[in-house]
Amino acid sequence: MIETVVALLMIVNNEIKEHRIQSSMSICLKGKRHAERTETGSNIKHQCIKSKAEVELNIDGSKTIKKLILE
């Protein structure tokens, strides 16, 4: 199913390596600040985006991003 989500992206060498659904933009920005303080790599960048995504439901009822739809 496709829906609009707020996602925290981890970008390594200009390629999206990981994406996590966040409940709100403020929670995402808090996670971004925490990740930037604890990461030590120089090629790692974190970014919060609001975008459409193909989402799937897990067994426990949580949602995960299957594919981002960047427009």
Side-chain angles (χ1 to χ4, degrees), residues 30-44:
K30 183 178 178 181
K32 177 185 172 195
R33 282 192 301 274
H34 177 72
E36 287 176 340
R37 289 178 185 147
T38 58
E39 290 287 333
T40 57
S42 60
N43 307 5
I44 300 172

Side-chain angles (χ1 to χ4, degrees), residues 15-52:
E15 185 177 331
I16 298 172
K17 291 292 184 181
E18 190 174 327
H19 38 67
R20 301 277 179 173
I21 293 178
Q22 304 294 308
S23 56
S24 67
M25 188 59 80
S26 63
I27 299 288
C28 186
L29 292 170
K30 183 178 178 181
K32 177 185 172 195
R33 282 192 301 274
H34 177 72
E36 287 176 340
R37 289 178 185 147
T38 58
E39 290 287 333
T40 57
S42 60
N43 307 5
I44 300 172
K45 180 179 150 187
H46 295 85
Q47 183 177 358
C48 291
I49 63 165
K50 186 173 187 178
S51 175
K52 289 186 180 180

